[in-house]
Amino acid sequence: MADQLDNQATIQPVAVEASSLRDQVATIRRALVVSPVRKWLLWTSVGIMAVIIATSIGQVLLNRWNQPFYDALARRDMAAFVHQLLVFAMIAGGLLVLNIGQTWLNQMIRLKLREALTLDLIDQWMRPARAFRLANAGAIGVNPDQRMQQDAAHLSDLSTDLGVGLLQSLILLVSFVGVLWELSSGFVFHINGWSLAIPGYMVWAAFLYAGTASWLSWLVGRPLIKLNSDRYTREAELRSSMVRVNENVDAIALYHGEADAKQRLELDLGTVLGAMRRIYTAQINLSWVTDTYGWITVVAPILVASPVYFSGDISFGGLMMAVGAFNQVHSSLRWFINNIGSIADWRATLMRVADFRIALDETDVLHDTERRITFDQNANGSLTFEKLQVASPEGCTKLSDQHVEIRAGDRVMITGEPGAGKTLFFRAIAGLWPWGSGKIGLPAGETLIFVPRVPYLPAGTLREVLNHANGHAPASDAEIVAVLAEIGLQRLSFSLDRVGRWDHELGDDEQRLLGVARLALRQPKWVIIDEAMDAFDGPSLRRVLAMLEKHLKGATIINIGRGQHNNQFFPRGLTIVKDTGAQPLKPARVRAGAIDPPPVAVRRKK
């Protein structure tokens, strides 16, 4: 347990308050403005607007076609009937081409919008040290993969469908309001000898009818926003549990932990099913409203216009033309009713993506609410620690000596008891954990290479893994083969061009040996190692030290670990101690609208 505390400092959970809709929309807009595909998005948006306008014109022509067509039917005029069929074929053919063009543009906008959002999130997430700090920032940093992959894709699809649908509804509304107003201007109601004319009667009836339905739909469907957001969180937890089980199947089998793993997965599945059940209940309640209005709409325009028709003021063709215009206006006004479920889903997805983007954008903001370690550059090329204290919720980690200077070429062993905070000290030097006090002086103009307990092995060919990072020229095959033979991994010499998941194919010791081989090939001048050498046995350790002696001759090597491995290789020793009496790091209240790195509390203004 002490080793676990040493490996990762405990971070207290933080509460995240959701940002406002305005903040979320502004955040996504800023991301799209700087996107490399912004021009493509702009032109496709202009194109789909032009197509929708042309489609609206065609819809107006089609609505006007109703009167002569139905009047021809009423007169039993075959010649006029055939002529109107030819007119219909031309209008419908044009609308068919426009609809296909709109479908293609819709799909391209989805594709490019997802590309823009996902590339932006990946770029922000992969800024130096951001992923590490965000992972320790509480709930906002949990399951970032879902937010960048699934949520960004879902937001792109919903935004495209809702945006294009809303634009189309608005253009159709503008096009047909005038038509319906003109058609209903001659409507006169005769009541007990009185004549009553209401200008734009059917327009007002359509607005009143759709407005009532929209208000009731929003009232019933609004809880879906929170319910959908909760479901996505539960789905992410279930997927994370499944991935964790899959990555630890060997340990689970050895410890006979299948029953426990099954229980955990069943519990997570239960929370997902519970969230879905609540969503389905809310959707059924919403369906009572939307479906009721849907059935009423079948006869509503005829009921509205029937008094005028039965009084003989309009013909049957005029009635059908008025009914068609009413349906178009009402259909445009019904956009909100028809899409209330999708709007709630979009709002929940936008909240997840935008809040994650806000957290990424602001995770580097450092406030003065906590003490910070000062970083400086030493012109003499040395590494110094001046009264350094690394703060954590358990206390402070520090060196037993207050003033330490490590010169170029030194080999230093830094040890400490389990739970002293060795990994925390390692992260502080790397700049990942800036909380504490004192000063770290870095050698000016030098690049420090940090080696964690298990090295990072990117997916790709073995040659790419060994040539990873640091900006050096790639090593030759002969150099790679020779180094692999020295470290005892000569069997990998025949796999240089094979693509693999090396972090899965190789054991922990082999991964550490491969990390040493990479050091031998890159030959850095400054190396800081975090417990990576503690796991090596006698023969492997001697082989590693011999390789470092041969290939990193003259380099500064600092090894942080549990014990003194070799007094000759590491002639100098330092000790890390835990000062439990010092003031621990406490969560601090930061300014509204910002997210601070861990363990500072996270708050967003409403």
Side-chain angles (χ1 to χ4, degrees), residues 224-521:
L224 282 169
I225 296 176
K226 183 178 180 180
L227 294 175
N228 278 312
S229 180
D230 181 64
R231 176 192 172 180
Y232 294 141
T233 300
R234 304 303 180 190
E235 293 277 12
E237 291 172 354
L238 175 60
R239 188 175 68 248
S240 178
S241 296
M242 290 181 173
V243 171
R244 186 163 57 250
V245 169
N246 184 58
E247 291 179 346
N248 294 276
V249 288
D250 52 347
I252 291 174
L254 290 173
Y255 283 93
H256 304 289
E258 288 86 356
D260 291 338
K262 177 184 177 183
Q263 184 180 15
R264 179 70 263 176
L265 293 176
E266 289 175 347
L267 287 174
D268 289 339
L269 176 61
T271 62
V272 171
L273 296 177
M276 294 177 65
R277 192 176 296 110
R278 289 188 290 272
I279 289 176
Y280 294 158
T281 300
Q283 288 176 340
I284 290 173
N285 294 334
L286 179 62
S287 295
W288 280 106
V289 177
T290 57
D291 291 355
T292 299
Y293 272 90
W295 283 109
I296 295 175
T297 302
V298 174
V299 296
I302 297 177
L303 292 176
V304 170
S306 59
V308 181
Y309 172 73
F310 285 114
S311 66
D313 290 338
I314 58 172
S315 65
F316 180 70
L319 172 66
M320 298 309 297
M321 186 176 176
V323 168
F326 181 93
N327 284 332
Q328 288 289 358
V329 172
H330 180 257
S331 176
S332 300
L333 294 173
R334 268 184 61 91
W335 175 86
F336 183 82
I337 306 169
N338 295 335
N339 293 281
I340 183 64
S342 297
I343 292 172
D345 194 6
W346 173 83
R347 184 70 180 85
T349 309
L350 174 67
M351 184 187 306
R352 287 179 57 81
V353 174
D355 282 351
F356 181 71
R357 177 60 169 77
I358 291 170
L360 287 171
D361 194 41
E362 297 178 347
T363 192
D364 294 332
V365 177
L366 298 180
H367 304 293
D368 296 327
T369 57
E370 288 291 341
R371 297 170 298 161
R372 308 290 179 190
I373 298 171
T374 302
F375 287 83
D376 202 356
Q377 298 286 323
N378 292 331
N380 64 356
S382 64
L383 174 66
T384 57
F385 304 103
E386 299 290 339
K387 298 182 179 178
L388 177 62
Q389 288 189 334
V390 185
S392 72
E394 290 78 35
C396 288
T397 295
K398 63 180 182 179
L399 292 170
S400 57
D401 299 329
Q402 289 192 345
H403 306 280
V404 175
E405 181 178 14
I406 300 175
R407 296 185 176 275
D410 287 351
R411 294 173 182 174
V412 183
M413 182 73 194
I414 302 179
T415 61
E417 295 293 331
K422 296 186 290 294
T423 295
L424 193 65
F425 185 80
F426 172 81
R427 290 174 175 174
I429 303 174
L432 297 178
W433 191 272
W435 294 277
S437 61
K439 183 172 72 174
I440 298 177
L442 302 174
E446 298 291 349
T447 300
L448 277 64
I449 302 301
F450 295 90
V451 181
R453 286 167 297 153
V454 178
Y456 169 61
L457 305 180
T461 65
L462 188 62
R463 178 183 284 104
E464 292 171 341
V465 170
L466 290 170
N467 285 321
H468 177 71
N470 303 340
H472 291 273
S476 66
D477 286 2
E479 292 174 323
I480 293 176
V481 170
V483 166
L484 289 176
E486 287 182 53
I487 203 65
L489 297 175
Q490 55 267 29
R491 68 179 182 84
L492 298 178
S493 300
F494 304 100
S495 304
L496 296 183
D497 294 312
R498 182 168 65 84
V499 177
R501 283 291 306 272
W502 303 103
D503 55 336
H504 287 178
E505 295 184 25
L506 303 178
D508 290 346
D509 284 347
E510 289 180 314
Q511 293 182 48
R512 295 186 183 95
L513 290 173
L514 204 61
V516 175
R518 188 161 57 191
L519 286 176
L521 291 170

Side-chain angles (χ1 to χ4, degrees), residues 89-331:
M90 290 187 291
I91 296 175
L95 288 174
L96 175 63
V97 174
L98 290 172
N99 288 338
I100 293 175
Q102 181 177 332
T103 300
W104 183 82
L105 287 170
N106 185 298
Q107 293 173 342
M108 290 301 102
I109 291 177
R110 282 188 183 192
L111 182 67
K112 291 299 180 180
L113 186 58
R114 179 179 182 182
E115 179 183 356
L117 286 176
T118 307
L119 285 178
D120 175 74
L121 291 175
I122 292 174
D123 175 69
Q124 295 294 322
W125 190 49
M126 286 290 99
R127 298 288 176 91
R130 273 191 179 179
F132 169 81
R133 293 177 180 175
L134 191 70
N136 292 297
I140 194 65
V142 175
N143 300 316
D145 55 304
Q146 186 192 36
R147 296 179 188 256
M148 290 184 288
Q149 185 263 330
Q150 182 176 330
D151 291 344
H154 196 43
L155 180 62
S156 301
D157 292 344
L158 288 173
S159 298
T160 302
D161 290 343
L162 291 175
V164 172
L166 178 60
L167 177 63
Q168 191 166 13
S169 295
L170 289 175
I171 293 176
L172 282 174
L173 178 63
V174 172
S175 302
F176 278 94
V177 159
V179 174
L180 188 60
W181 186 284
E182 181 180 354
L183 288 174
S184 60
S185 61
F187 282 17
V188 179
F189 296 91
H190 304 283
I191 305 173
N192 296 327
W194 291 84
S195 298
L196 177 64
I198 303 176
Y201 158 70
M202 294 196 72
V203 174
W204 300 119
F207 272 92
L208 179 63
Y209 180 70
T212 303
S214 298
W215 177 75
L216 286 176
S217 298
W218 175 246
L219 195 65
V220 177
R222 186 175 182 179
L224 282 169
I225 296 176
K226 183 178 180 180
L227 294 175
N228 278 312
S229 180
D230 181 64
R231 176 192 172 180
Y232 294 141
T233 300
R234 304 303 180 190
E235 293 277 12
E237 291 172 354
L238 175 60
R239 188 175 68 248
S240 178
S241 296
M242 290 181 173
V243 171
R244 186 163 57 250
V245 169
N246 184 58
E247 291 179 346
N248 294 276
V249 288
D250 52 347
I252 291 174
L254 290 173
Y255 283 93
H256 304 289
E258 288 86 356
D260 291 338
K262 177 184 177 183
Q263 184 180 15
R264 179 70 263 176
L265 293 176
E266 289 175 347
L267 287 174
D268 289 339
L269 176 61
T271 62
V272 171
L273 296 177
M276 294 177 65
R277 192 176 296 110
R278 289 188 290 272
I279 289 176
Y280 294 158
T281 300
Q283 288 176 340
I284 290 173
N285 294 334
L286 179 62
S287 295
W288 280 106
V289 177
T290 57
D291 291 355
T292 299
Y293 272 90
W295 283 109
I296 295 175
T297 302
V298 174
V299 296
I302 297 177
L303 292 176
V304 170
S306 59
V308 181
Y309 172 73
F310 285 114
S311 66
D313 290 338
I314 58 172
S315 65
F316 180 70
L319 172 66
M320 298 309 297
M321 186 176 176
V323 168
F326 181 93
N327 284 332
Q328 288 289 358
V329 172
H330 180 257
S331 176

Side-chain angles (χ1 to χ4, degrees), residues 64-85 309 315-318:
R64 291 178 179 176
W65 169 85
N66 280 323
Q67 182 170 5
F69 177 74
Y70 284 107
D71 283 343
L73 282 176
R75 298 192 308 268
R76 294 180 174 84
D77 187 342
M78 177 60 71
F81 173 76
V82 173
H83 174 71
Q84 292 303 320
L85 287 179
Y309 172 73
S315 65
F316 180 70

